[in-house]
């Protein structure tokens, strides 16, 4: 390219981009690979852009791991997004502590009142609101109705941990793998440990441990939860080689009908289809949902729920349009859209009524009736301590660490923070 | 181009004036050195110094590192069973590379270097795994080792044994990684040795043969010494490659079961970066750097002086 040509091309390019530069650009950074979800968001952005001249809202995708690795640097550069995806919990608190987040307390009161309180509270640090949720999820047992029938197990009869262990034994005796778990990635196993802590210690268990009360994570609740977990592990309820099984492989095993139960988040409904050998998975009418059993003598209720909460955070330097868009996005209309298309379980109260998929609907109803909703432990605690919980969950279930050693390892990580 | 042409045209006489730095030469230094020096400083020297500095902090990547904790990160590393296991694993990789991979590669090279029928095909086949991306190879082997439906299940089925899940076996999982490394890289070293062997003057071997030297004697006294530079280079590549081994770990084992299959780099990734412990990661990185540099300079001084 000659210099002359180059100047002409550059001038044209400048002419093209000049009007865009005059706009207020709002970049929303997210990690979703779910097309239905992104479709709802893009629609909201398009509607907003059409109604507001001079504002250009754009959703931008960054792969999950890349997002987590890049975000600290991005927030400290001039390249930071105006809004970004968040799992709430420890990372959000750090971002807030270091002054990267806008205080939304005065702006979003009206939208908050339309949402599930558990989801709203997850985006508060002390009394200050730093984000607005859009999605809530729930971890529950998915079970294969046909395999339960074959083993002579009735889901309605599983109320307590002991009932559950009894069912596991019965299923195993029938020659069926009772539980599938992708323990090679560790976090799927931490759902068991988390739920046991919640069922044994009740809603203050995690907060107390974080605050260092009664020995922090070394307290009786965490040790007891470890013991129950090992009790399960001793029955050898998992598919062979579970320590090296990946999450996608575990979804395939469930979708192929080769295991009776999977304790997982709502994405399993789609994943058991896409990862199954046939590409069809189990038909939905053959899948049941079972809430995590209660532990005798524990403080937690059967209606306490564990699951992710996702929302948007606004960076400190973002223009007022960013907050305005967030309010626009949070209205019932888009939550309904998400519910109808089965994109996700929205946090706006009442919109769960629009969910047509029966399994999603069941989860949404359980969430609407929750007595205490807990964010994933590994998100709540932040990566440094959270990943230790994931590690020790696997070690305890397999008998590689004692419940006491596991609890001490978590406390150790918490003290190093 | 023109510089080289004139140099070769004038022959050796042009060497002398070049030694004494002319004004022209200084101009060249002043023009060409700063960019390289600047790039090296900004992208190599500074990050290393920075990593060493971050290693003294408890830092989660947000804001500036402010919580100075002295040598605590290093102290923690010394007493950490998982890190020690990673060091041992790196040692195992080096040992297997040197004691198994290199001899096998050399033996295969001796077989396929000559003008034997089909040698070129074999060379290509052995080299093929090297072309594959490490992560892709790791994923493929993850399936092969699967006791339920992989190659491993075919073997156990044929022998009438119960399915065996190597990657879930705490004691033996790391051997799976060693197997994949052997498979993936021995072809590369074979090619290095083939290149070395082809550079050896055949008349030397023929002369020795006429003098009645046996095949072993010819190998021991002619081939091996002449192949020395290539062997030393292969060992250098092999050790450095072993020290920075990472790509196979995530697709094969993810460091598990029970954190027994990490290498130093995967330890850095899983226990530092993914946990947002950047101060700690820097400390691990610095330890790795010191080990690599010590080896690289030590080895070059001791063994590669004349190469």
């Amino acid at each position: 390219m000659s210099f002359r040509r180059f100047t002409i091309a550059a001038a044209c390019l400048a002419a093209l981009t000049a009007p865009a530069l005059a706009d207020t650009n709002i970049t929303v950074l997210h990690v979703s690979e779910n097309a239905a979800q992104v479709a709802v968001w893009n629609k909201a952005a398009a509607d907003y852009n059409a109604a507001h001249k001079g504002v250009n809202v754009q959703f931008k995708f960054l792969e999950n791991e890349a997002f987590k690795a890049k975000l600290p640097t991005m927030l400290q550069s001039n390249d930071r997004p105006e809004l970004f995806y968040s799992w709430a919990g420890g990372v959000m608190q750090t971002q807030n502590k270091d002054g990267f987040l806008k205080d939304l307390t005065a702006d979003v009161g009206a939208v908050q009142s339309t949402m599930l309180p558990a989801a709203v509270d997850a985006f508060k640090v002390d009394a200050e609101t730093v984000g607005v949720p859009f999605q809530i999820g729930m971890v529950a047992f998915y079970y294969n109705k046909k395999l339960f029938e074959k083993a002579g197990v009735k889901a309605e009869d599983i109320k307590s941990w002991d009932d559950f262990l009894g069912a596991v034994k019965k299923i195993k005796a029938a020659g069926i793998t009772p539980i599938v778990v992708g323990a090679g990635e560790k976090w799927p196993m931490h759902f068991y440990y988390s739920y046991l802590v919640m069922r044994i210690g009740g809603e203050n268990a995690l907060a107390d441990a974080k605050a260092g009360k009664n020995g922090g994570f070394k307290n009786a609740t965490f040790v007891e939860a470890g013991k129950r977990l090992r009790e399960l592990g001793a029955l050898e309820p998992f598919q062979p080689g579970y320590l090296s099984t990946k999450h996608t492989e575990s979804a395939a095993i469930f979708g192929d009908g080769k295991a009776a139960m999977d304790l997982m988040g709502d994405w399993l409904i789609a994943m058991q289809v896409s990862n199954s050998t046939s590409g069809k998975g189990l038909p939905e009418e053959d899948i049941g949902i079972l809430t995590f059993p209660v532990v005798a003598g524990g403080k937690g209720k059967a209606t306490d729920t564990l699951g992710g909460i996702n929302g948007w955070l606004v960076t400190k330097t973002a223009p007022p349009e960013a907050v305005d868009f967030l309010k626009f996005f949070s209205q019932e209309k888009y939550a309904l859209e998400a519910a109808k298309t089965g994109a996700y379980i929205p946090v706006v109260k009442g919109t769960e009524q629009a969910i047509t998929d029966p399994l999603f609907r069941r989860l949404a109803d359980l969430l609407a009736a929750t007595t205490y909703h807990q964010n994933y432990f590994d998100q709540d605690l932040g990566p440094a301590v959270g990943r230790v919980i994931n590690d020790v969950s696997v070690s305890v279930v397999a008998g590689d660490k004692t419940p006491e050693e596991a609890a001490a390892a978590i406390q150790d990580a918490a003290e190093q923070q | 181009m023109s510089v080289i042409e004139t140099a070769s045209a004038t022959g050796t006489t042009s060497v002398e004036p070049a030694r004494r730095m002319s004004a022209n030469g200084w101009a060249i230094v002043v023009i060409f050195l700063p960019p390289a020096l600047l790039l090296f400083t900004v992208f190599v020297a500074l990050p290393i110094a920075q990593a060493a500095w971050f290693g003294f902090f408890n830092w989660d990547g947000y804001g500036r590192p402010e919580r100075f904790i002295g040598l605590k990160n290093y102290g923690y590393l010394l007493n950490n069973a998982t890190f020690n296991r990673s060091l041992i694993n790196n040692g195992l990789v080096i040992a297997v590379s040197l004691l198994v991979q290199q001899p096998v590669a050399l033996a295969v090279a001796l077989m396929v270097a000559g003008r034997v029928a089909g040698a070129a095909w074999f060379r290509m086949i052995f080299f093929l795994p090297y072309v594959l991306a490490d992560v892709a190879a790791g994923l493929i082997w993850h399936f092969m080792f699967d006791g339920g439906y992989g190659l491993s299940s075919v073997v156990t089925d044929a022998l009438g044994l119960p399915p065996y899940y190597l990657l879930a076996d705490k004691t033996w999982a790391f051997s799976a990684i060693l197997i994949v490394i052997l498979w993936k890289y021995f072809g590369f070293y074979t090619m290095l040795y083939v290149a070395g062997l082809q550079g050896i003057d055949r008349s030397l071997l023929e002369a020795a043969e006429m003098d009645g030297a046996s095949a072993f004697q010819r190998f021991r006294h002619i081939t091996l010494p002449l192949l020395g530079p290539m062997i030393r280079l292969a060992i250098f590549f092999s050790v450095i490659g072993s020290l920075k081994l990472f790509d196979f770990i995530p697709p094969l084992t993810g460091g598990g079961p029970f954190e027994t299959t990490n290498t130093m780099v995967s330890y850095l990734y899983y226990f530092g970066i993914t946990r947002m412990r950047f101060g700690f990661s820097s400390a691990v990185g610095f330890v790795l750097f010191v080990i690599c540099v010590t080896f690289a300079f030590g080895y070059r001084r001791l063994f590669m002086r004349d190469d």
Side-chain angles (χ1 to χ4, degrees), chain B residues 4-248:
Chain B
I4 296 169
E5 276 161 18
T6 42
S8 55
T10 47
T12 48
T13 48
S14 68
V15 174
E16 272 313 302
R19 283 239 175 105
R20 214 182 52 233
M21 197 68 89
S22 64
N24 201 1
W26 275 111
I28 288 172
V29 168
V30 169
I31 294 167
F32 287 101
L33 186 63
L37 193 65
L38 191 73
L39 285 176
F40 184 81
T41 313
V42 171
F43 293 107
V44 181
L46 269 181
I48 291 170
Q50 219 176 9
W53 175 238
F54 290 159
F56 297 118
F57 290 85
N58 180 352
W59 182 43
D60 60 12
Y62 284 102
R64 301 261 86 210
E66 272 155 3
R67 285 160 66 195
F68 187 83
I69 53 166
L71 291 169
K72 264 196 185 158
N73 282 331
Y74 293 95
Y76 177 81
L77 267 184
L78 278 180
N79 299 313
N80 185 274
T82 310
F83 180 71
N84 292 338
R85 179 68 206 237
S86 312
L87 273 176
I88 292 171
N89 285 345
N90 272 119
L92 276 175
V93 177
I94 294 175
V96 169
S97 300
L98 297 188
L99 301 178
V100 182
Q101 192 171 43
Q102 297 299 335
V104 170
L106 183 54
V108 172
L110 287 169
M111 283 187 258
V112 300
R115 293 196 179 80
V116 194
W121 280 104
F122 278 110
R123 263 179 259 159
M124 202 184 75
I125 290 168
F126 292 137
F127 191 67
L128 266 182
Y130 180 74
V131 179
L132 211 60
D134 284 2
V135 174
L139 285 171
I140 293 168
W141 280 89
H142 179 81
F143 286 118
M144 304 253 278
F145 287 130
D146 188 283
Y149 51 82
L151 190 67
S152 151
S153 74
V154 176
V155 174
T156 49
D157 276 359
L159 298 172
L161 295 167
Y164 176 60
Y165 292 82
L166 179 61
L167 296 177
D169 186 323
K170 186 184 167 182
T171 321
W172 294 104
F174 197 71
S175 63
I177 290 170
L178 295 175
I179 291 170
V180 180
I181 294 168
L182 283 181
W183 170 83
K184 181 94 191 328
Y185 286 104
F186 101 92
F188 170 72
Y189 294 110
T190 302
M191 288 306 260
L192 275 189
Y193 290 135
V194 166
L197 288 170
Q198 286 173 344
I200 294 175
D201 190 348
R202 297 204 63 80
S203 57
L204 286 172
L205 291 164
E206 279 158 14
E209 200 174 352
M210 287 170 93
D211 287 345
S214 71
F216 177 76
Q217 283 171 323
R218 291 198 301 272
F219 172 74
R220 172 69 190 81
H221 297 288
I222 298 177
T223 311
L224 206 56
L226 287 175
L227 210 54
M230 204 52 105
I231 293 175
R232 288 192 284 272
L233 184 70
I235 290 175
F236 182 74
F237 277 151
S238 183
V239 173
I240 291 292
S242 304
L243 283 173
K244 64 188 181 72
L245 181 76
F246 172 70
D247 303 40
F248 291 128

Side-chain angles (χ1 to χ4, degrees), chain B residues 288-306:
Chain B
L288 182 65
F289 170 76
V290 169
I291 293 174
C292 285
V293 166
T294 312
F295 168 76
F297 283 106
Y299 187 81
R300 292 191 77 99
R301 277 207 97 119
L302 287 175
F303 297 105
M304 293 175 77
R305 293 189 97 148
D306 314 320

Side-chain angles (χ1 to χ4, degrees), chain A residues 5 35 47 59 102 181 184-185 208 238 245 300 313 336 407:
Chain A
R5 267 226 195 115
D47 290 353
F59 280 85
K102 211 187 213 29
V181 63
E185 289 180 38
D208 285 354
F238 308 112
T245 306
L313 307 181
L336 270 177

Side-chain angles (χ1 to χ4, degrees), chain A residues 94-95 186 246 391 400 417, chain B residues 62 67 170 251 259 275:
Chain A
T94 308
Q95 288 159 349
K186 296 174 186 148
K246 294 182 180 180
D391 292 347
D400 194 60
Q417 280 237 290
Chain B
Y62 284 102
R67 285 160 66 195
K170 186 184 167 182
E259 284 67 73
R275 292 172 198 222

